[in-house]
Amino acid sequence: MREINVSEVTEAVKKMCIDANYALSDDMKKALESARSEEVSELGKQIFAQLEENLAIAASDQIPICQDTGMAVFFFKIGQDVHFTGGDLNQAINEGVKQGYTEGYLRKSVVGDPLIRVNTKDNTPAVVHYEIVPGDKVTITCAPKGFGSENMSRVFMLKPADGEEGVKEAVLRAVKDAGPNACPPMVVGVGIGGTFEKCAEMAKEALTRPVGSHSDKEHIRAMEEELLDRINKTGIGPAGLGGRMTALAVNINSYATHIAGLPVAVNICCHVNRHVTVTL
Amino acid sequence: MNKEIQAPISAEVAKELNAGDMVYISGTIYTARDAAHKRMDEALSEGKELPIDVKGNLIYYMGPSPAREGRPIGSAGPTTASRMDKYAPKLLDLGLGGMIGKGKRSKEVSDAIVRNGSVYFAAIGGAGALLSKAIVESEVIAYDDLGTEAIRKLKVEKFPAIVVIDSKGNNLYETADKLYNKEKE
């Protein structure tokens, strides 16, 4: 049994919230650079140049990449041999979010109740997904999620008879409906299978997979490649103003499902696809 | 075409703008997003005055991140405009000069733009650090309790935006993707 004091979690969470909002991961930076060279629209090329300049200013002047610094989403993979000490883990995570968003000059975008809608003024609470895994390590991924693209995300409860083609049509439908609203070039996270909530969680986690990586299942990998190609033929383009580069990646995660179902979730992320992972 | 324009905007200038024009806006603009629009709408329903005179003014759909010491504002890019579609026609009919946001608008908004000779601009979504550089002054002038959603008066210098819906009803989003669509090839 390994003991971890929850104050370590607070510190890690605070730092991840700040880091994620001021710099993109290397895979995202590379994807944006290569998309810029592949863009055919003149206006699209100008937009890529502006996005590159935006990242440079964010780093040099310490201004968040995007003003929507997101709702803080976390994936915790907790080794079953870990024992948390020193307090409530959920409180420790939210304390880290509060400190990160306050000390990091990040926008507080969370309302405490979806209908009464009063801002909590410290960006808490976070949305946390826990998974128990073998071992004595804790891997934390922080993915602040902006709602311009979150609002364009969808869950489709398809029928088994809809098959692969139905899944592809659903993803393309979500992307086309999102269009300029989701701040393309997008990263498209897809969850196929499981249950209603499982596919949504898989789609969200798929967004945190490095751009350029692929599923290790051959048929899923083929679908990722085909869908990226088809999305980049829609013409939506950077900022939705026309062009080739509508998406940087389609990342699909899949899971077993019921004989009667084919759930598909499409979680769309803008070009500010933020994620940071640390292991304690 | 690249154009430099002043805000507030006159009806004559608005009429000269065409969907697809790249503009650089200098002058005074106001921010308002979801919660501020809801309050303004409630004020109008109750027969009260709005906290800003909308005539000829541009409303920027934006809620900034906090400013660091010595800076006028934090990250300051546009938010999705369609969430304000419910409120925009009423403000346009009161003389609102134009709106800056990102993303599609409803037919009701497009019709109100044409009816009033107004304009809808898009700024580049997700470029909040870059866009903040065009904002030289910022002051909260109403609804302070709304935090990032308060109404701010901004002084901007060469703020970059693209005309998406012009006063004739042309819509760049509806034409631009068709130019590059290769789905049937």
Side-chain angles (χ1 to χ4, degrees):
Chain A
M1 184 71 76
R2 178 180 168 222
E3 293 201 341
I4 296 179
N5 194 294
V6 294
S7 63
E8 278 186 59
V9 174
T10 298
E11 270 309 302
V13 162
K14 171 186 162 180
K15 188 170 184 304
M16 282 191 283
C17 289
I18 296 173
D19 290 351
N21 275 297
Y22 284 90
L24 289 182
S25 52
D26 289 340
D27 59 301
M28 277 299 297
K29 281 191 225 159
K30 267 188 212 148
L32 283 167
E33 278 167 31
S34 87
R36 182 183 177 176
S37 64
E38 284 177 56
E39 182 52 61
V40 290
S41 136
E42 279 310 312
L43 181 55
K45 284 180 194 173
Q46 281 181 44
I47 290 163
F48 273 113
Q50 290 190 12
L51 296 183
E52 215 163 280
E53 195 185 347
N54 185 59
L55 290 178
I57 292 170
S60 65
D61 292 18
Q62 284 296 287
I63 302 171
I65 302 165
C66 176
Q67 76 291 336
D68 184 355
T69 52
M71 188 163 193
V73 177
F74 293 92
F75 291 93
F76 271 69
K77 295 196 191 307
I78 301 173
Q80 64 188 30
D81 296 331
V82 170
H83 176 216
F84 288 105
T85 60
D88 179 327
L89 176 62
N90 294 297
Q91 278 180 15
I93 295 167
N94 281 320
E95 180 60 27
V97 170
K98 178 183 170 182
Q99 291 179 14
Y101 275 74
T102 307
E103 294 172 32
Y105 292 86
L106 304 178
R107 195 177 80 178
K108 288 76 180 172
S109 312
V110 173
V111 291
D113 181 285
L115 296 175
I116 300 169
R117 304 198 75 83
V118 177
N119 197 303
T120 61
K121 296 201 156 64
D122 58 12
N123 221 54
T124 66
V127 172
V128 188
H129 304 284
Y130 293 104
E131 190 182 339
I132 303 297
V133 297
D136 65 355
K137 300 271 193 289
V138 177
T139 301
I140 312 170
T141 297
C142 169
K145 189 66 172 70
F147 261 55
S149 53
E150 190 75 353
N151 280 337
M152 306 316 293
S153 302
R154 304 273 295 275
V155 172
F156 301 86
M157 299 306 284
L158 300 182
K159 297 175 184 70
D162 293 325
E164 274 201 33
E165 209 40 53
V167 173
K168 290 174 197 165
E169 287 305 319
V171 175
L172 287 166
R173 178 80 269 136
V175 167
K176 287 181 191 177
D177 286 349
N181 293 27
C183 291
M186 324 166 186
V187 176
V188 184
V190 181
I192 308 175
T195 47
F196 181 77
E197 84 289 1
K198 174 71 179 175
C199 71
E201 192 180 326
M202 284 194 291
K204 171 77 75 215
E205 192 165 12
L207 290 173
T208 68
R209 225 173 68 200
V211 166
S213 72
H214 281 288
S215 169
D216 48 18
K217 296 171 190 163
E218 200 45 54
H219 66 300
I220 298 291
R221 181 195 175 105
M223 193 185 275
E224 289 176 336
E225 288 171 345
E226 181 188 332
L227 278 172
L228 181 61
D229 184 55
R230 286 172 71 175
I231 289 169
N232 285 337
K233 283 181 176 159
T234 58
I236 295 167
L241 296 171
R244 190 171 114 70
M245 300 314 294
T246 303
L248 302 172
V250 178
N251 288 354
I252 306 177
N253 286 352
S254 64
Y255 192 73
T257 192
H258 189 278
I259 49 172
L262 177 50
V264 179
V266 185
N267 196 192
I268 294 177
C269 193
C270 57
H271 55 82
V272 190
N273 179 27
R274 297 162 286 204
H275 48 86
V276 176
T277 299
V278 299
T279 299
L280 299 180
Chain B
M1 206 199 285
N2 285 7
K3 292 177 179 170
E4 292 201 12
I5 63 168
Q6 291 292 317
I9 186 170
S10 68
E12 291 70 36
V13 171
K15 269 186 200 130
E16 294 298 312
L17 297 174
N18 297 306
D21 286 348
M22 174 73 91
V23 298
Y24 294 90
I25 304 164
S26 297
T28 300
I29 64 174
Y30 294 88
T31 70
R33 49 172 291 156
D34 308 62
H37 273 82
K38 184 163 184 279
R39 275 205 198 163
M40 286 197 284
D41 197 61
E42 284 163 2
L44 288 173
S45 302
E46 291 163 13
K48 291 180 185 157
E49 276 198 17
L50 292 179
I52 52 171
D53 179 11
V54 296
K55 276 203 177 59
N57 275 313
L58 299 182
I59 288 184
Y60 182 20
Y61 299 143
M62 189 277 286
S65 65
R68 286 183 187 270
E69 290 75 11
R71 304 250 181 89
I73 204 156
S75 195
T79 196
T80 308
S82 57
R83 294 195 315 275
M84 271 53 78
D85 282 359
K86 185 179 165 188
Y87 310 113
K90 207 184 270 186
L91 297 176
L92 287 162
D93 288 339
L94 286 171
L96 182 67
M99 302 148 292
I100 309 168
K102 59 145 171 130
K104 301 171 207 175
R105 306 307 304 260
S106 66
K107 183 169 187 306
E108 288 73 20
V109 174
S110 180
D111 290 348
I113 288 170
V114 174
R115 183 163 73 236
N116 294 289
S118 180
V119 56
Y120 169 55
F121 302 99
I124 304 301
L130 176 73
L131 291 168
S132 77
K133 292 295 193 181
I135 299 168
V136 293
E137 285 173 25
S138 167
E139 180 194 355
V140 173
I141 56 151
Y143 310 152
D144 193 18
D145 62 298
L146 294 179
T148 186
E149 295 202 75
I151 293 184
R152 287 171 170 80
K153 182 180 178 179
L154 305 182
K155 190 176 169 201
V156 293
E157 280 176 11
K158 295 191 179 171
F159 182 94
I162 293 155
V163 177
V164 170
I165 305 177
D166 64 25
S167 59
K168 282 80 73 183
N170 300 308
N171 187 331
L172 183 61
Y173 288 141
E174 287 169 5
T175 54
D177 59 339
K178 290 185 181 68
L179 290 176
Y180 297 95
N181 186 294
K182 308 245 183 249
E183 285 178 293
K184 297 222 163 62
E185 286 176 18

